[in-house]
């Protein structure tokens, strides 16, 4: 059985208590801004201090409130997007895949990794996004990013929100991230709150949505790090956030089946990995997220190289699942279920993108599958709520790969005893409910929260025209 580790339960308890639940070929420096010291770095030289840059005003959002949609995903990916931000030492690059890199470092400072105790000096540059006003004043925001961090580099993602009463959150750390684990330990940051909102691993949530308080605008900030004197740099190709205000609901509207199709997605069981590498979230029992991620990555024709897998015990089957667990592992949360870390892991593979968002129905899931895009969904349920699962869970990830002639969901469920048993067919109405609801009763009869349609969507850097249309239809661009 798959379970998410305690932070999801904590978030559920909190919600219940609160009553809520254009291309260019040349590199161009990002617009200069006054800077602030990067979180977790002690400056070794003079770093200009200042306020948050005014930016370029609200950015156009991909999400919509029209048609009852209560999700706004905004991604910064194009040359124009990156040029719309402000920078200190950051350079915008064009070409086939625009992004942000370190140009001339803005300064340097020391960082002590709390998970290793190691202190090192790093040069840094910073990019701050423009103010984005989502179509949906939000109770929750979840960022995600796609980046390349060669050895000797890493990055920091932060978020600043504007409240509906005119006040503002602090800059919240949403992740210290590197693709590898030799330079820093990839980690979220616990204990961040201003008494009105709190960061729960990868999610910024308003503490008490029943008061009407919402986050009505936000900025994202990147700080890119490298060792002093080095010429290597992180490259960030995509940065975005999903803002949402999903209402309290035990039940959800029933959708009408509209697709019969099944995608050929590899099948991997997390359960065959039980006991392997317990330092990564207690081994396979809790590896639903990286196992699901690996299935979808391989659907797109990507996989680790033999050199990548050399560290895995050669006696272990499906070593790529062990690899996914290690390189999605969050050393603060002590688990492999950090949503943005999974999306970022997927994007470490050649020409791949990964996004965390919410969908509003299985009809939207059908839109993606019709275009050849499988998805990974997060849900929680009692054993009797999902016929054929054979287990209950306080949080579990699985892949949606198709729909039957009756409209039922074809899923690759990693909580299966063997790879051959991974393919499941789940009743449409049951699946839609356990995935989209925001309230449920747990095994003790207590009201706790559901995930409200959370999913990971992985797709190529250059999707087909049909895939672009499908992604746009569900609010991703």
């Amino acid at each position: 059985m798959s379970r998410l580790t305690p932070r999801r339960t904590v978030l559920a308890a909190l919600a219940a208590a609160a009553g809520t639940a254009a291309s260019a070929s040349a590199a161009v420096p990002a617009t200069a801004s006054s800077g602030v010291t990067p979180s977790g770095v002690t400056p070794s030289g003079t770093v200009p201090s200042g306020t948050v840059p005014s930016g370029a005003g609200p950015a156009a959002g991909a999400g919509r409130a029209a048609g009852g949609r209560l999700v706004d995903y905004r991604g910064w990916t194009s040359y124009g997007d990156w040029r719309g931000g402000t920078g200190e030492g950051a350079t915008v690059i064009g070409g086939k895949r625009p992004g942000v890199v370190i140009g001339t470092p803005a300064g340097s400072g020391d960082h002590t990794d709390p998970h290793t105790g190691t202190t090192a000096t790093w040069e840094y540059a910073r990019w701050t996004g423009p103010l984005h006003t989502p179509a949906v004043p939000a109770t929750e925001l979840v960022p995600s990013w796609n980046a390349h961090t060669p050895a000797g580099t890493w990055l920091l993602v932060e978020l600043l929100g504007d409240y509906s009463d005119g006040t503002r959150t602090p800059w919240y750390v949403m992740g210290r991230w590197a693709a590898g684990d030799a330079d820093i330990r990839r980690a979220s940051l616990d204990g961040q709150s201003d008494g009105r909102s709190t960061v729960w691993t990868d999610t910024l949530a308003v503490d008490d949505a029943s008061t009407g308080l919402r986050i009505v605008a936000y900025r994202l900030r990147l700080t890119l790090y490298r060792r002093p004197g080095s010429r290597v740099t992180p490259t960030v190709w995509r940065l975005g956030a999903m803002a949402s205000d999903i209402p309290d609901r035990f039940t959800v509207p029933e959708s009408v089946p509209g697709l019969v199709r099944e995608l050929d997605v590899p099948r991997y069981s997390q359960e065959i990995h039980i006991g392997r590498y317990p330092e990564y979230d207690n081994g396979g029992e809790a590896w639903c997220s990286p196992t699901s991620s690996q299935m979808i990555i391989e659907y797109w024709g990507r996989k680790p190289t033999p050199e990548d897998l050399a560290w895995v015990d050669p006696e272990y089957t499906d070593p790529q699942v062990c690899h996914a667990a290690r390189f999605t592992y969050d050393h603060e949360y002590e688990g492999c279920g950090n949503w943005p870390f999974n999306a970022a892991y997927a994007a470490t593979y050649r020409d791949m993108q990964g996004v965390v968002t919410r969908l509003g129905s299985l009809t939207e899931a059908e839109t993606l599958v019709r275009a050849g895009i499988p998805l990974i969904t997060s849900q929680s349920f009692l054993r009797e709520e999902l016929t054929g699962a054979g287990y209950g869970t306080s949080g579990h990830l699985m892949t949606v790969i198709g729909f039957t002639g009756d409209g039922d969901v074809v899923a690759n469920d990693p909580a299966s005893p063997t790879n051959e048993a991974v393919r499941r067919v789940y009743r449409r109405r049951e699946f839609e409910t356990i995935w989209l609801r925001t309230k449920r009763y747990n095994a003790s009869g207590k009201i706790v929260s559901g995930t409200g349609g959370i999913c990971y969507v992985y797709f190529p850097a250059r999707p087909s025209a049909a895939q672009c249309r499908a992604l746009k239809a569900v609010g991703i661009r």
Side-chain angles (χ1 to χ4, degrees), residues 232-385:
V232 298
T233 176
T235 304
V236 181
W237 299 298
R238 174 182 285 271
L239 176 67
M242 181 273 297
S244 64
D245 185 6
I246 308 299
D248 291 351
R249 58 191 187 189
F250 287 90
T251 61
V252 300
E254 186 172 358
S255 64
V256 177
L259 177 69
V260 180
R261 185 179 186 184
E262 182 174 342
L263 304 177
D264 186 13
V265 176
R267 302 170 189 173
Y268 294 129
S269 164
Q270 70 191 71
E271 301 298 332
I272 67 172
H273 298 278
I274 289 176
R276 299 176 181 177
Y277 302 106
E279 63 268 34
Y280 302 121
D281 201 5
N282 200 35
E285 183 181 10
W287 287 0
C288 56
S289 190
T291 306
S292 294
S293 287
Q294 195 61 42
M295 286 192 267
I296 304 305
I297 289 164
E298 293 193 23
Y299 164 79
W300 290 111
R302 279 71 165 173
K303 60 174 58 181
T305 66
E307 291 77 16
D308 292 333
L309 300 177
W311 68 275
V312 183
D313 188 325
E315 297 298 317
Y316 290 166
T317 54
D318 301 335
Q320 61 270 47
V321 173
C322 301
H323 186 80
R326 174 178 173 180
F327 293 104
T328 57
Y329 186 75
D330 177 343
H331 289 260
E332 181 87 357
Y333 161 45
E334 297 184 338
C336 302
N338 182 307
W339 296 333
F341 285 10
N342 275 262
Y345 169 74
T348 64
Y349 289 88
R350 175 181 50 83
D351 293 336
M352 285 297 295
Q353 301 189 72
V355 164
V356 179
T357 190
R358 280 187 160 103
L359 299 186
S361 68
L362 279 175
T363 300
E364 291 194 316
E366 288 176 339
T367 297
L368 293 174
V369 172
R370 181 179 291 109
I373 304 173
L375 59 150
I376 299 169
T377 61
S378 177
Q379 47 272 309
S380 52
F381 51 91
L382 301 176
R383 183 187 183 103
E384 60 269 24
E385 290 184 301

Side-chain angles (χ1 to χ4, degrees), residues 52-421:
V52 178
S54 59
R64 306 174 304 285
R69 187 173 178 82
L70 297 174
V71 177
D72 178 289
Y73 172 80
R74 172 59 161 110
W76 282 263
T77 61
S78 71
Y79 183 78
D81 287 338
W82 295 117
R83 288 290 292 156
T86 55
E88 183 186 356
T91 294
V92 177
I93 58 170
K96 291 183 178 180
R97 201 168 186 187
V100 174
V101 299
I102 298 174
T104 301
S108 64
D110 293 338
H111 171 69
T112 300
D113 190 321
H115 305 284
T116 64
T118 300
T119 299
T121 301
W122 303 89
E123 296 178 340
Y124 65 87
R126 185 184 301 109
W127 181 90
T128 303
L131 184 71
H132 175 58
T133 302
V136 182
T139 57
E140 291 188 358
L141 293 101
V142 182
S144 50
W145 57 90
N146 299 172
H148 173 57
T149 53
T153 72
W154 57 284
L155 61 85
L156 169 73
V157 178
E158 297 169 286
L159 188 153
L160 177 82
D162 288 357
Y163 290 121
S164 50
D165 64 3
T167 60
R168 177 174 285 175
T169 73
W171 278 107
Y172 284 123
V173 172
M174 303 306 295
R176 294 189 177 102
W177 186 85
D181 51 17
D183 295 300
I184 65 159
R185 295 293 187 263
R186 180 186 321 103
S188 53
L189 181 63
D190 287 343
Q192 298 182 86
S193 180
D194 62 359
R196 313 181 78 201
S197 63
T198 301
V199 175
W200 301 98
T201 302
D202 49 22
T203 302
L204 172 60
V206 171
D207 289 343
D208 188 353
S210 68
T211 65
L213 185 69
R214 297 293 186 269
I215 296 174
V216 297
Y218 66 87
R219 299 177 189 276
L220 295 170
R221 184 165 71 185
L222 286 168
T223 307
L224 310 179
Y225 296 93
R226 70 182 180 194
R227 296 195 180 277
S230 172
R231 298 183 65 84
V232 298
T233 176
T235 304
V236 181
W237 299 298
R238 174 182 285 271
L239 176 67
M242 181 273 297
S244 64
D245 185 6
I246 308 299
D248 291 351
R249 58 191 187 189
F250 287 90
T251 61
V252 300
E254 186 172 358
S255 64
V256 177
L259 177 69
V260 180
R261 185 179 186 184
E262 182 174 342
L263 304 177
D264 186 13
V265 176
R267 302 170 189 173
Y268 294 129
S269 164
Q270 70 191 71
E271 301 298 332
I272 67 172
H273 298 278
I274 289 176
R276 299 176 181 177
Y277 302 106
E279 63 268 34
Y280 302 121
D281 201 5
N282 200 35
E285 183 181 10
W287 287 0
C288 56
S289 190
T291 306
S292 294
S293 287
Q294 195 61 42
M295 286 192 267
I296 304 305
I297 289 164
E298 293 193 23
Y299 164 79
W300 290 111
R302 279 71 165 173
K303 60 174 58 181
T305 66
E307 291 77 16
D308 292 333
L309 300 177
W311 68 275
V312 183
D313 188 325
E315 297 298 317
Y316 290 166
T317 54
D318 301 335
Q320 61 270 47
V321 173
C322 301
H323 186 80
R326 174 178 173 180
F327 293 104
T328 57
Y329 186 75
D330 177 343
H331 289 260
E332 181 87 357
Y333 161 45
E334 297 184 338
C336 302
N338 182 307
W339 296 333
F341 285 10
N342 275 262
Y345 169 74
T348 64
Y349 289 88
R350 175 181 50 83
D351 293 336
M352 285 297 295
Q353 301 189 72
V355 164
V356 179
T357 190
R358 280 187 160 103
L359 299 186
S361 68
L362 279 175
T363 300
E364 291 194 316
E366 288 176 339
T367 297
L368 293 174
V369 172
R370 181 179 291 109
I373 304 173
L375 59 150
I376 299 169
T377 61
S378 177
Q379 47 272 309
S380 52
F381 51 91
L382 301 176
R383 183 187 183 103
E384 60 269 24
E385 290 184 301
L386 188 62
T387 303
Y391 63 92
T393 174
S394 60
H396 180 56
L397 283 295
M398 65 178 83
T399 71
V400 173
I401 67 168
F403 296 87
T404 70
D406 293 328
D408 291 334
V409 174
V410 184
N412 276 5
D413 188 343
S416 302
T418 65
N419 288 351
E420 293 73 20

